[in-house]
Amino acid sequence: MSLVVDNLRVYYRTLRGDVRALDGATFTVADGEIMGVAGESGCGKTTLGKSLIRLDGRMRVAEGSVTLDGVELPIADDRAMDAYRFRSVSIVPQYAMSALNPIRRIGRMISELLSSRGVSYEETLPELRRRLALVGLSDDVLERYPIELSGGMKQRVVMVLSTLMNPSLLVADELTSALDVSTQKAVAEMLVEFRDRGFVKSTIVITHDLSILYQVADTILVMYAGKLVEKGSAAEITEDPRHPYTKLLIASLPEVGVRFEERRLTGIAGRPPSLLRPPTGCRFRARCPLATEECAVEPPFVELAAGRHAACWKVAA
Amino acid sequence: MLRVDDVTKVYRTGLFGSGSQTAVSGVSFDVRPGEVVSLIGESGSGKTTVGRMILRLTTATAGTISFDGEDVAGYNRRDLRRYYARVQGVFQDPFSSYNPVFKVDRVLGMLRSTYLPRLSDQEWKRTLRSSLEAVSLEPADVLGKYPHQLSGGQLQRLMVARALLLEIELLVADEIISMLDASTRIDVLNLLGDLKGRGLGILFITHDLSLGNYISDRTLILRHGRVVELGPTPKVFGDPRHSYTRALLACVPQLHRKWGDDSAVEANGRPSATADATGGLVAVDDDHFVAPEEDAP
Amino acid sequence: MESRADLVATPEIALTGEGAALEDAYPEPPVRRFEALHFAARNAKLVVGLTVVLAFLVAAIAGPWLTDATPFEFGYPLGEPPSSAHWLGTTSPGQDVYSQFVYGLRSSFIVGALAAAVAGLLGMAIGFLGGYLGGVIDEILSMVTNIVLVIPTLAVLIIVSAYLSVGSLWSEALLIGLTSWPWAARAIRAQTFSLASRDFVSLARLSGQGTIKVIVKEIAPNMSSYLFLTFILLFGGAVLIAATLDFLGLGPSQVMSLGLMLNNAVSNAALQLGMWWWFIPPGVGITAIVGGLYIMNVGLDEVFNPKLRRT
């Protein structure tokens, strides 16, 4: 098992108390697996991604453990995580391509980043060049400033940089959201290629776009209001969703070919609950058409079949 | 109703406008009453600029935009007021559309002072109520609240309700649902579909092909400021004639079809349009137009 | 109105984030005000700066009530150090230093406030209009701003004061105000520029609101903290410039000011004669007020801008 997450609870400290952004995540990601994490705003997916690498000082790990390749990651300790960041665990955060320092040439930025990690730029340069060529970027990208590159090019640079040390785990947060459809495809396919070439072992792709996950992910984990609600292979989740939330979510996505006059899609009424004082029981209860008395008790995230999990009383085991 | 005729927009850049950048070039189309036209393009296609020109938030460099036969470029302050009573817009970011220091009621009240000053308080409340009902919002849920207390979906629907206060004929919706969650998007989209049924014309600007396909009657594909394909939605999506349209459709990630499965969308054997003398759009079918293929991408 | 913001390629495909969940946790404006005060009370710079300035303000207002002497009145013992009769001693020609000081403080605050008001209003008018309207009008206004900015203010003021013989605090404040507005105008223009491309401004235009209304009702309220900071900076700057002018003898001679005190002290060789009670109070006064205002400003910036906070 490459990555094992056990009952991870990560809260944000605020003036008014703890926001329970991630409340009990347990799952595994195997070597060579690309797992997609899907959900809407406030579901906790970004928190999950950031907590695996401890990127946000406001986070407080309340409980749980993360084990990578048999070694437990010190996710509660900023300093200790330093040794793992970029080498074992790497993240491409949201807005990464907009965060490139505009007054640094790409090559200079990379060399500064590498030296801050104790890696020699000169030694890594041949491999860096090879990978840039692999994703269709020429060497002179290193001489350019970020403003001279298109969104897709920047995203590719960021991806090459994040995987330069062949990390065991790559977390990609909303990698494709700000891109044009054609670039989205190229970047998503690049994720798969990196996995195929062994540049990364396991990948976690965080996005709100289920259809991208269907294209590139092996498994999909669906989250809602800080909890895991369903997990399975990409095909299973999209073709045979079991959890009511997943079902409703998929039913609300317009596909090319579906027209309003022919088949009117419906959304999910209501809003996700506040995570400051979350409701007891199933968090989807207020919006779920199948909710009954038993949903006042929180359903556990149980295994229905091999690799297939759901957290709902209504789902037959 | 709305006619956009060979419109071009060039921005001056640099010191005293020595440089220039063309955002929109020679775009023509029209929107008929009770019709939804989707304007589809990626970033840099000029689609937002077209929307802004129609709303007179910026002026065209060349070409005419006319509403019911009147050229909107020549409008003065008073004419603009009249115009805005019939044409309104809703924008992409609900949290940017509302002035964060004020309550949301203000966006509704702003219209009242300009357009409905003679309404009594009772009548105003009634008008508000019916507009909110038309967008499925409970007055108690949204009135008196600050923008951050409401969800993106509610804010966008409130924006539409604001536009409906005026009995408009044309709504320019610029990426209005791209910042909403998937589960609420469809509700706002259905709302637009219902309004279409009531006779409202809608210009639906988006980058998302599946959304455009869902509610629009006619589709316009824009690329680098130029129209690439234009026609009834089923035809543009079902029988795309321009290579760009085909490439776009092939790249859209779909839930039950992998990329590369789409043999139907790729070369369908029909010939692309060849350039004609005027260099404009070529009619390939009834009401279906395509730009000639360019040699260089 | 052409929006140059349209030229910037914005990611038109947007993201849904988890900020919403965090902000759902506590409702803003009532808490925001509370939050601002919370941080304000804890910000050392703000508290210290404000205290100093307020202390001198109180002295300026109430100080004169505590004495019967007036600044220009002669007849007191010559060059006496502080005593119970004259808390800050007397000047060489026999005037009461304490009354000079507190009346001088009054002048400083009055000139500072008036000049800041003039410069502020002018800067706002030019900055708002240029930033909002853009195009040719902006280019003209920017040109004017840059020209006035480049003119060496102090030199001009010196020349003008020498010719026009500034007679009152009002005219001094007016002069200072008319020459210190450019940088405020530029700062406001830049902020307005970025706000003007926001959707709620477009929406206001779609509601039929005219230029002035949009600026006053939509743009200014969103810059209120910025305008406040600008005003404070202008205030501090004006006090300093006024003190300089007065020190050079170019301010109103019939009104006592701190700069004038320093001028008199220097011309009477107070430094060499060791008459510290004459030149230290006005120097300390000017430094403390201006310094206090600037420090307040830095502190306020931290309060208003969450990213600068160290918590």
Coordinates of all heavy atoms in Angstrom, one line a residue, chain A residues 15-16 19 41-47 58 94-95 177-180 208 271 276, chain C residues 11-18 20-22 24-27 31 34-35 38-39:
Chain A
L15 N -11.7 32.5 15.0 CA -12.0 33.2 16.2 C -13.2 32.6 16.9 O -13.5 32.8 18.0 CB -12.3 34.7 15.8 CG -11.1 35.6 15.6 CD1 -11.6 37.0 15.2 CD2 -10.3 35.6 16.9
R16 N -14.1 32.0 16.1 CA -15.3 31.5 16.6 C -15.3 30.0 16.9 O -16.4 29.4 17.2 CB -16.5 31.8 15.7 CG -16.7 33.3 15.7 CD -17.9 33.6 14.7 NE -18.9 34.4 15.4 CZ -20.2 34.1 15.4 NH1 -20.7 33.0 14.8 NH2 -21.0 34.9 16.1
V19 N -13.5 25.0 12.6 CA -14.3 24.6 11.5 C -13.9 23.2 11.1 O -12.7 23.0 10.8 CB -14.1 25.6 10.3 CG1 -14.8 25.1 9.1 CG2 -14.5 27.0 10.6
S41 N -18.0 22.8 -3.3 CA -17.2 23.7 -2.4 C -17.6 23.4 -1.0 O -18.7 23.1 -0.6 CB -17.5 25.2 -2.7 OG -18.9 25.4 -2.8
G42 N -16.6 23.4 -0.1 CA -16.8 23.2 1.3 C -16.8 21.7 1.7 O -17.0 21.4 2.8
C43 N -16.5 20.8 0.7 CA -16.6 19.4 1.1 C -15.4 18.9 1.8 O -15.4 17.8 2.4 CB -16.8 18.6 -0.2 SG -15.4 18.5 -1.3
G44 N -14.3 19.6 1.7 CA -13.1 19.2 2.5 C -12.0 18.6 1.6 O -11.0 18.2 2.1
K45 N -12.2 18.6 0.3 CA -11.2 18.0 -0.6 C -9.9 18.8 -0.6 O -8.8 18.2 -0.6 CB -11.7 17.8 -2.0 CG -12.2 19.0 -2.7 CD -12.9 18.6 -4.0 CE -13.1 19.8 -4.9 NZ -13.9 20.9 -4.4
T46 N -10.0 20.1 -0.6 CA -8.7 20.9 -0.6 C -8.0 20.7 0.7 O -6.8 20.6 0.8 CB -9.0 22.3 -0.9 OG1 -9.6 22.4 -2.2 CG2 -7.8 23.2 -0.9
T47 N -8.8 20.7 1.8 CA -8.2 20.5 3.1 C -7.5 19.2 3.1 O -6.4 19.1 3.7 CB -9.3 20.5 4.2 OG1 -10.1 21.7 4.0 CG2 -8.7 20.5 5.6
R58 N -3.0 27.3 9.5 CA -4.2 27.4 10.3 C -4.8 26.1 10.6 O -5.7 26.0 11.4 CB -5.2 28.3 9.5 CG -4.9 29.7 9.4 CD -5.9 30.4 8.5 NE -6.0 29.9 7.2 CZ -6.9 30.2 6.3 NH1 -7.9 31.0 6.6 NH2 -6.9 29.6 5.1
Q94 N -3.9 24.8 -5.9 CA -4.8 25.6 -6.7 C -4.1 26.9 -7.0 O -3.3 27.4 -6.3 CB -6.0 25.9 -5.9 CG -7.3 25.5 -6.5 CD -8.4 25.8 -5.5 OE1 -8.3 26.4 -4.5 NE2 -9.6 25.4 -5.9
Y95 N -4.3 27.4 -8.2 CA -3.7 28.7 -8.6 C -2.2 28.6 -8.7 O -1.5 29.6 -8.7 CB -4.0 29.9 -7.6 CG -5.5 30.0 -7.3 CD1 -6.0 29.7 -6.0 CD2 -6.4 30.5 -8.3 CE1 -7.3 29.9 -5.8 CE2 -7.7 30.7 -8.0 CZ -8.2 30.4 -6.7 OH -9.5 30.5 -6.5
S177 N -8.8 23.5 -13.7 CA -10.0 24.4 -13.6 C -9.9 25.7 -14.4 O -10.8 26.2 -15.0 CB -10.3 24.8 -12.2 OG -10.5 23.6 -11.5
A178 N -8.7 26.3 -14.4 CA -8.6 27.6 -15.1 C -8.2 27.5 -16.5 O -7.7 28.5 -17.1 CB -7.7 28.5 -14.3
L179 N -8.3 26.3 -17.1 CA -7.7 26.1 -18.4 C -8.8 25.9 -19.5 O -9.9 25.5 -19.2 CB -6.8 24.9 -18.4 CG -5.7 24.9 -17.5 CD1 -5.0 23.5 -17.5 CD2 -4.7 26.0 -17.9
D180 N -8.4 26.3 -20.7 CA -9.3 26.0 -21.8 C -9.5 24.5 -22.0 O -8.6 23.7 -21.6 CB -8.7 26.5 -23.1 CG -8.8 28.0 -23.2 OD1 -9.6 28.6 -22.4 OD2 -8.0 28.6 -23.9
H208 N -13.6 19.5 -8.9 CA -15.1 19.4 -8.8 C -15.7 18.8 -10.0 O -16.8 18.6 -10.1 CB -15.7 20.8 -8.6 CG -15.4 21.7 -9.7 ND1 -14.2 22.4 -9.9 CD2 -16.1 22.0 -10.8 CE1 -14.2 23.0 -11.0 NE2 -15.3 22.9 -11.6
R271 N -28.3 23.9 0.7 CA -26.8 24.1 0.7 C -26.1 23.2 1.7 O -26.8 22.7 2.6 CB -26.6 25.6 1.3 CG -27.0 26.7 0.4 CD -27.0 27.9 1.2 NE -25.6 28.4 1.4 CZ -25.3 29.5 1.9 NH1 -26.3 30.3 2.4 NH2 -24.1 29.9 2.1
L276 N -18.9 24.7 11.1 CA -18.5 25.2 12.4 C -19.2 24.4 13.5 O -18.6 24.0 14.5 CB -18.9 26.7 12.5 CG -18.4 27.5 13.7 CD1 -16.9 27.4 13.8 CD2 -18.8 28.9 13.7
Chain C
P11 N -8.8 34.2 -16.2 CA -9.3 32.9 -16.3 C -10.8 32.8 -16.3 O -11.4 33.1 -15.3 CB -8.7 32.1 -15.1 CG -8.3 33.2 -14.2 CD -8.1 34.5 -14.9
E12 N -11.4 32.6 -17.5 CA -12.8 32.7 -17.5 C -13.5 31.5 -17.0 O -14.7 31.4 -16.8 CB -13.3 33.1 -18.9 CG -12.9 34.5 -19.3 CD -13.0 34.8 -20.8 OE1 -12.8 33.9 -21.6 OE2 -13.3 35.9 -21.1
I13 N -12.7 30.4 -16.9 CA -13.2 29.2 -16.3 C -12.9 29.2 -14.9 O -11.8 29.3 -14.5 CB -12.6 28.0 -17.0 CG1 -12.8 28.1 -18.5 CG2 -13.1 26.7 -16.4 CD1 -12.0 27.1 -19.3
A14 N -13.9 29.3 -14.0 CA -13.6 29.6 -12.6 C -13.6 28.4 -11.7 O -13.9 27.3 -12.1 CB -14.7 30.6 -12.2
L15 N -13.3 28.7 -10.5 CA -13.1 27.6 -9.6 C -14.1 27.7 -8.4 O -14.5 28.7 -8.1 CB -11.7 27.7 -9.0 CG -10.6 27.9 -10.0 CD1 -9.4 28.6 -9.4 CD2 -10.1 26.5 -10.4
T16 N -14.4 26.6 -7.9 CA -15.2 26.6 -6.6 C -14.2 26.3 -5.5 O -13.4 25.4 -5.6 CB -16.3 25.5 -6.7 OG1 -15.7 24.3 -7.0 CG2 -17.3 25.9 -7.7
G17 N -14.2 27.0 -4.5 CA -13.2 26.8 -3.4 C -13.8 26.5 -2.1 O -15.0 26.5 -2.0
E18 N -13.0 26.3 -1.1 CA -13.5 26.1 0.2 C -13.6 27.3 1.1 O -13.9 27.2 2.2 CB -12.8 24.9 0.9 CG -13.4 23.6 0.6 CD -12.5 22.4 0.6 OE1 -11.5 22.5 1.4 OE2 -12.8 21.5 -0.1
A20 N -15.7 29.4 0.9 CA -17.1 29.6 1.3 C -17.4 28.9 2.6 O -18.1 29.4 3.5 CB -18.0 29.0 0.2
A21 N -16.9 27.7 2.8 CA -17.1 27.0 4.0 C -16.6 27.7 5.2 O -17.2 27.9 6.2 CB -16.6 25.6 4.0
L22 N -15.4 28.3 5.0 CA -14.7 29.0 6.1 C -15.5 30.3 6.4 O -15.7 30.6 7.6 CB -13.3 29.4 5.7 CG -12.2 28.4 6.0 CD1 -10.9 28.9 5.7 CD2 -12.3 28.0 7.5
D24 N -18.6 30.8 5.9 CA -19.9 30.5 6.4 C -19.9 30.4 7.9 O -20.8 30.6 8.6 CB -20.4 29.1 5.9 CG -21.1 29.2 4.6 OD1 -21.3 30.4 4.2 OD2 -21.3 28.2 3.9
A25 N -18.6 30.2 8.4 CA -18.5 30.0 9.8 C -18.8 31.2 10.6 O -19.3 31.1 11.8 CB -17.1 29.5 10.1
Y26 N -18.5 32.4 10.1 CA -19.0 33.5 10.9 C -19.4 34.7 10.0 O -18.8 35.0 9.0 CB -17.9 34.0 11.8 CG -16.5 34.2 11.3 CD1 -16.0 35.4 10.8 CD2 -15.7 33.0 11.2 CE1 -14.7 35.5 10.3 CE2 -14.4 33.1 10.7 CZ -14.0 34.3 10.2 OH -12.7 34.4 9.7
P27 N -20.6 35.2 10.3 CA -21.2 36.3 9.4 C -20.3 37.5 9.5 O -19.8 37.9 10.5 CB -22.5 36.6 10.1 CG -22.4 36.1 11.5 CD -21.4 35.0 11.5
V31 N -19.4 41.2 12.5 CA -18.2 40.6 13.0 C -17.0 41.3 12.5 O -16.0 41.5 13.1 CB -18.1 39.1 12.8 CG1 -16.9 38.5 13.4 CG2 -19.3 38.5 13.3
F34 N -16.3 44.3 14.5 CA -15.8 43.8 15.8 C -14.4 43.3 15.6 O -13.5 43.6 16.4 CB -16.7 42.6 16.3 CG -16.0 41.7 17.2 CD1 -15.8 42.1 18.6 CD2 -15.5 40.4 16.8 CE1 -15.1 41.2 19.5 CE2 -14.9 39.6 17.7 CZ -14.7 40.0 19.1
E35 N -14.1 42.6 14.5 CA -12.8 42.1 14.2 C -11.8 43.3 14.1 O -10.7 43.2 14.5 CB -12.8 41.3 12.9 CG -12.0 40.1 13.0 CD -11.9 39.4 11.6 OE1 -13.0 39.1 11.1 OE2 -10.8 39.3 11.1
H38 N -11.1 44.7 17.3 CA -10.3 43.7 18.1 C -8.9 43.8 17.7 O -8.0 43.9 18.6 CB -10.8 42.3 17.7 CG -10.0 41.2 18.2 ND1 -10.2 40.5 19.4 CD2 -8.9 40.6 17.6 CE1 -9.2 39.6 19.5 NE2 -8.5 39.6 18.4
F39 N -8.6 43.9 16.4 CA -7.2 44.0 16.0 C -6.7 45.4 16.3 O -5.5 45.6 16.6 CB -7.0 43.7 14.5 CG -7.1 42.2 14.3 CD1 -8.2 41.6 13.6 CD2 -6.1 41.4 14.7 CE1 -8.3 40.3 13.4 CE2 -6.1 40.0 14.4 CZ -7.2 39.5 13.8

